[in-house]
Structure formats: C-alpha cells, structure tokens
Amino acid sequence: MKLLTHNMMRSHCKGAVNGFPLKLNFSQVNIKEIEFNPDFINRMLSRLEWSVLVDTATQLGVNEGLPEMLPENQEIDDEETLKKIHHVLLEVEVVEGELECPETGKKFPISKGIPDMRLNEDE
Amino acid sequence: MSKRYLVVFTQSFEDFRLPELESICELHQIKLIRESYSDSHPYCVVTGVSDADIHTILSRCVLIQFVAEIWAHCTSRQELCESQFSDHAPVPGSFNIILHSFGRKVPMTEKIDLIEKMEHLPLTGEVDCSNPDHVFYICENYTDKKDKGPTDVFFGPLVGRSNRSMIDSYSVKKRLYIGRTTMDAQLSFVMANVARIDRGDLVYDPFLGTGSLVIPAAVFGAFSLGSDIDIKALHGWGKSTKKGEDKYQTHQNIEGNMKSYGLSSLYLGSLASDFSTPLIRDTPLFDVILTDPPYGVREASLKVNSDNHLAQSQFSLSHQFLELLNFAARTLVIGGRLVYWLPVIRDLYSPDCLPQHPALSLLHNAEQVLNKKSARRLLVLRKTRQATRDDTAHVRGDEVAHGNFRELYFAKSS
C-alpha cells in the first residue's frame, strides 16, 4: 500500500462519520524505485490531505524535508521538493501491517501490500 | 487546400469506431472533419487535419487499420485509370501498390491488370514488394453492388498504419495472469481511448478483478489503482484458469503482469473491498473511473457475510450501477470520465433504462452484441459539475433491461 493510496482511503464502519485518516501500524515497509513524473506529482497536490501525508511519512520515518504546508496555489516548482514528495507518495510501500478506523477502532490487515477493507454484514 | 485522407477502420466493433476516433481527436485538440462514414464498411473520408494529426491518431486508435492520403477518389476503375495526377510532382524511389478491398476479394491478376492501365501514375522508380521507399493503396468498396464493380475507388500514398500490433503484445493469450473475467485486450484499449486517458492521469477501477484495465491505462502513461471484493483475484491465489496450469505461481498476479510489461511504475496497487461500502474519501480524486462491473452471470454479485464467506448479494445489479454513478459523481474531478459496461437484454432496451446522474453527462453509448438475447453497452459519461447533496443517480424508465439481468439471461425464450 502506497502512501498516496492511504491518503485517499477512509473506513466505512457503522457509526463512523469520517473514518479518515486511517491509523497505520506497520511491520514491514519496502522502498521501490518509481519513475519520476513531476506533472503527476503537481497534479496530485491539490487532491491530497497534506497534513495527513506529512504525519504518516513522519511516522514511517521517511519524511526527509517535506514542506509543512503547501503554498496557496498548491503548485510546487522546485524539482528537489517534488522529488521528495514523489518518494513519499509512490516509493514507500507498506507490505505488512494494519489500518485502524479512527472512530470505531476496527482493524484492517495489510498483507503483501494489499489492505483488506472488507466488512461483515453487521459492521 | 486541405488534404483529404482515407481512414480505413477494422470491420469489427463498428459502434465503437467513431467514439474512439472522436475521443482521441478531442484529447489532442484535433479538429477532424468527417466527410463520409458508414457502419457497413471500413472507409471513412476525413479532412481538416495534417499528417502529424494522423500520426497522433494512429498512435492511439486500435480500431483503425491504416490511413492513406487521397490522391484520387473515383466511382469506377475506368475513372481511376484516366486520372491525371497533375497536382502531384513525380515521386522517385521504389514503390509498391497494395489493393485493399471490402465486400469482394479481388484476384491478383485483376490488381496487376488495373495498375498497368493506370498510365499517368507519377511514379518514376521501380516496383519493390519487400522494402519499397513508398507504399500506395488502391481501396475498392464493393458494399453496394458486388457484381457490378466498386462504388468507390480510392488511390493514394500510405500515411501510416495504426498501433494495432500493440494489441498482440498485450494479448490475453500470452499474459502471465488471467482469470475468467479478464477483458479482451483490444476492447480494453478501446475503453482506455474513449475514456480519453492521458499521460499523468489518475485512474481508478472499483471492480479490478485481474487488472486487465490498468494495462492500457499504463501503456498510455496513466497511474492506476483499484479495488475488488475478490481478494483472491487481487493476490493471484487459487487455481489458474489457463489450460494446463495448476495453481497460480507467485509471479502470477496483477503486479506480475505489470512487471512483465515494464509498467510497474504506473501501478499503484489494490484494495480488497465491497463496492457497496466504498472506502474512498468523498472528494474529487480521479481523472478517470474505468471499469467492467459484474453482470451477475459468470461471476455472481458477491458480498461478505458474517462467516467470512462470499454469499450471493442482496446488492442487486441495478443498485450496483446507481452506486457506481453516485461514486463517480463524488470522486471524479470536473471534466473527468466514467467508462463502464452495462449488460442489457436487447428486446427490453431503450435509452430510458440507462442509469443517469445530474452531474454526469452521457457522451457515448456503444453496443457490443453478446448473443441473440443480450448485449453490453459501453457507456462514457463526463462529470460536468460538483454533485450537491440532493443529486442522486436514477433510472428514468424501466430498469428491467438490466436490473434482473441474471434472471433474464438464463430465462428460457418464450
């Protein structure tokens, strides 16, 4: 599970109003080299919950100088900064771990990089 | 004066040919003007474009075979033979002339005879069939009067052939990992084209299955992710559906496919999830939602029950499509497209039975006939504005044509 994906997800448990952001517990993280596409990274900036990305990256120990806040127009010209964002969004993969609904505490396992978000009928 | 070109389509998936061509023209701001088109044959005369535009079109459209510039457009072979070609400077270098016909197979002797009678061809070089400098086409349309000769005879130089060969490299037969629901490669590329997928787009497939749709998206430079209730399909667990294979091996999964095609960088991964409880934030995220939802026939609609088993769904087929439109209205960016297949019983179909949403506008509706009774329609919708709280997907008329698709599909004909 990449951090871009985590940033888009929320839980849908009964009783959860937002279900976002999902708490992340991890036991295995991989770094995978991904081709850098600056236009794509810039395009994603306005669609992300930026503070959640920064917090999650910090928690995983991969925050190497991400800006605390995005500029007003949500665009970044500096290639070095874009590469740091690219690294955190696309190159960090949680392989084993679990996600937790922030409101109900329901846990969802992540196995081989795929989160299992399925709920039972009563959930 | 603008050049005229002959676009030669494949004679298959006729309903999809113009939607594909129009979508690519729109994507690249190509102002193509169609002078003639018919579903019943492959020849389409266009103008208002340049050679460069044609090459762009050929790089994407898989339902086109080739495009030739039109130097002569005649109504008989006699007329072609008498054509002067005075507007064209002599062409040096070796050449080959290929005859393409539709509606009748033209014997080689006739072709040779015809070319010999074309006395004013401005070609000064030698014939070379194996490696010519220039390739020319004669195209003959026999659709209307097979025995009386062609209705149209075109002549001109080949501008380019399409990238149809790419379908072969991504052929399902050669793919590492497939399942029962894997989409045919050609159709998956058509879907990516009518979705107007562009480099750097973010694409989501909520019924990911074996990941057949993320492949063309990645080939066209877009990033994709998806979800599916069938966690085994996502991981590549279980028995292979390929003849002679036993269980899926470790490299046989969606990631394995992407790696084998050199497209790993563009695959963002998957999530196991029941689409009836979508787990994506309600905010514009995706440029394209590209998907082939279950029809309830081969892979019945599934849901997880409390014994952790997959059980037949309460989530009826109709509800699934309405939810898909609601989901698209919430999570597409404005201008983004939803592309999905809707199964229909042909006798019961009318445009009124299509799911609709106030924030989504229908752009294309193309039918693929499956058998005498049923078909599926590829629907392309564009998000025109943000959805308000009151906006909801609905069906104007009778949803019976797809609502109980599974029942109707298996019902004995009356």
Side-chain angles (χ1 to χ4, degrees):
Chain A
M1 182 197 71
K2 296 184 196 258
L3 295 193
L4 173 59
T5 309
H6 170 256
N7 200 271
M8 297 191 282
M9 291 170 65
R10 51 104 130 138
S11 91
H12 220 307
C13 306
K14 266 201 186 119
V17 174
N18 274 326
F20 176 83
L22 289 155
K23 291 191 201 165
L24 174 62
N25 306 318
F26 59 97
S27 49
Q28 188 191 339
V29 172
N30 279 353
I31 306 292
K32 181 174 168 185
E33 196 178 319
I34 301 283
E35 238 175 272
F36 174 55
N37 180 334
D39 293 328
F40 177 72
I41 302 301
N42 244 319
R43 193 197 290 207
M44 289 302 111
L45 294 181
S46 58
R47 305 183 195 178
L48 296 170
E49 280 291 331
W50 184 253
S51 56
V52 169
L53 179 70
V54 173
D55 290 343
T56 314
T58 307
Q59 184 199 348
L60 288 173
V62 293
N63 180 353
E64 287 160 20
L66 291 174
E68 274 299 309
M69 273 188 350
L70 286 179
E72 277 246 11
N73 65 356
Q74 294 176 313
E75 270 176 39
I76 290 183
D77 289 322
D78 174 48
E79 189 168 285
E80 276 312 303
T81 313
L82 280 176
K83 278 194 174 150
K84 287 185 183 158
I85 300 172
H86 159 84
H87 175 71
V88 156
L89 276 180
L90 300 182
E91 294 187 326
V92 176
E93 292 185 353
V94 179
V95 180
E96 301 291 325
E98 68 187 7
L99 294 166
E100 190 184 313
C101 175
E103 288 162 61
T104 65
K106 158 104 182 145
K107 292 193 164 69
F108 302 94
I110 304 172
S111 169
K112 294 197 166 59
I114 300 178
D116 184 353
M117 307 300 295
R118 298 171 304 166
L119 298 167
N120 293 336
E121 294 262 338
D122 43 319
E123 285 166 328
Chain B
M1 206 176 70
S2 181
K3 285 189 195 178
R4 289 166 81 233
Y5 296 90
L6 184 67
V7 171
V8 181
F9 287 105
T10 65
Q11 195 61 22
S12 60
F13 299 113
E14 290 87 325
D15 242 22
F16 301 80
R17 302 189 306 192
L18 289 184
E20 188 189 42
L21 176 60
E22 284 165 16
S23 297
I24 297 306
C25 287
E26 200 197 310
L27 176 60
H28 291 280
Q29 286 145 2
I30 295 172
K31 303 233 178 332
L32 179 133
I33 300 165
R34 254 187 300 120
E35 285 190 3
S36 73
Y37 174 81
S38 164
D39 266 353
S40 55
H41 64 76
Y43 305 115
C44 173
V45 177
V46 307
T47 186
V49 294
S50 64
D51 274 18
D53 291 333
I54 295 292
H55 286 296
T56 302
I57 289 167
L58 288 169
S59 72
R60 287 283 298 245
C61 290
V62 296
L63 296 179
I64 294 178
Q65 293 185 61
F66 63 89
V67 178
E69 192 191 326
I70 297 175
W71 282 11
H73 179 185
C74 311
T75 50
S76 71
R77 281 180 176 175
Q78 168 104 352
E79 200 188 321
L80 178 65
C81 295
E82 289 165 4
S83 297
Q84 294 285 332
F85 303 109
S86 42
D87 288 340
H88 300 280
V91 179
S94 61
F95 66 91
N96 189 21
I97 302 179
I98 302 175
L99 192 140
H100 181 278
S101 62
F102 181 76
R104 178 180 171 245
K105 207 161 176 181
V106 177
M108 183 62 83
T109 47
E110 261 185 60
K111 171 201 149 176
I112 293 170
D113 199 48
L114 173 60
I115 293 170
E116 276 174 13
K117 292 205 178 104
M118 291 174 71
E119 296 179 355
H120 310 285
L121 279 175
L123 308 174
T124 59
E126 295 293 310
V127 173
D128 182 349
C129 295
S130 47
N131 197 20
D133 296 321
H134 308 282
V135 174
F136 288 84
Y137 268 90
I138 301 171
C139 292
E140 296 191 320
N141 186 3
Y142 287 91
T143 317
D144 288 334
K145 25 180 202 159
K146 208 179 270 221
D147 302 323
K148 295 186 188 154
T151 42
D152 302 273
V153 184
F154 301 92
F155 176 79
L158 174 70
V159 177
R161 299 186 196 284
S162 80
N163 225 347
R164 272 179 68 75
S165 56
M166 111 177 117
I167 301 171
D168 193 55
S169 13
Y170 297 104
S171 155
V172 162
K173 291 198 189 95
K174 300 181 193 168
R175 197 174 295 168
L176 271 186
Y177 172 57
I178 59 171
R180 272 173 292 152
T181 59
T182 297
M183 168 85 39
D184 162 74
Q186 180 175 224
L187 273 183
S188 71
F189 276 93
V190 172
M191 284 179 78
N193 279 331
V194 299
R196 254 194 55 164
I197 284 179
D198 201 5
R199 168 158 257 88
D201 275 353
L202 182 61
V203 179
Y204 186 69
D205 183 352
F207 301 99
L208 186 62
T210 55
S212 33
L213 299 180
V214 305
I215 293 166
V219 169
F220 297 142
F223 292 83
S224 304
L225 72 156
S227 61
D228 202 293
I229 196 173
D230 186 353
I231 196 168
K232 285 162 51 177
L234 299 179
H235 279 288
W237 292 334
K239 188 161 185 336
S240 171
T241 54
K242 272 191 183 174
K243 249 192 195 151
E245 281 186 4
D246 189 30
K247 277 198 177 150
Y248 289 122
Q249 305 289 302
T250 30
H251 61 278
Q252 283 182 300
N253 50 33
I254 302 173
E255 291 226 23
N257 281 341
M258 300 306 275
K259 198 164 171 191
S260 74
Y261 295 137
L263 299 170
S264 285
S265 278
L266 292 162
Y267 178 53
L268 302 176
S270 62
L271 312 154
S273 149
D274 181 346
F275 184 65
S276 59
T277 52
L279 42 47
I280 302 289
R281 280 194 286 125
D282 282 340
T283 191
L285 290 167
F286 308 121
D287 297 289
V288 172
I289 294 171
L290 183 69
T291 193
D292 182 21
Y295 311 151
V297 176
R298 273 195 294 192
E299 305 279 345
S301 295
L302 302 167
K303 220 169 145 85
V304 181
N305 66 18
S306 34
D307 293 323
N308 220 10
H309 292 307
L310 293 172
Q312 267 280 271
S313 182
Q314 310 296 302
F315 187 45
S316 89
L317 211 55
S318 230
H319 188 62
Q320 166 186 280
F321 291 109
L322 295 177
E323 253 322 290
L324 180 60
L325 265 68
N326 285 329
F327 175 76
R330 293 194 306 267
T331 60
L332 279 173
V333 298
I334 292 180
R337 290 186 176 199
L338 164 66
V339 178
Y340 74 101
W341 288 101
L342 180 76
V344 292
I345 300 297
R346 303 183 74 205
D347 289 342
L348 301 174
Y349 170 76
S350 83
D352 272 354
C353 67
L354 296 179
Q356 300 180 33
H357 190 289
L360 303 174
S361 148
L362 180 67
L363 296 180
H364 299 292
N365 172 1
E367 184 190 38
Q368 182 197 14
V369 175
L370 299 173
N371 53 47
K372 214 159 63 170
K373 215 158 125 177
S374 59
R376 58 181 176 180
R377 288 182 169 264
L378 188 64
L379 297 164
V380 181
L381 294 97
R382 177 172 59 213
K383 177 167 168 176
T384 52
R385 60 168 175 78
Q386 293 304 351
T388 65
R389 201 163 280 186
D390 297 324
D391 286 331
T392 188
H394 57 277
V395 176
R396 195 161 56 196
D398 191 356
E399 62 180 43
V400 170
H402 61 83
N404 329 337
F405 186 75
R406 190 189 169 93
E407 253 173 58
L408 294 166
Y409 186 87
F410 287 119
K412 294 226 163 30
S413 311
S414 43

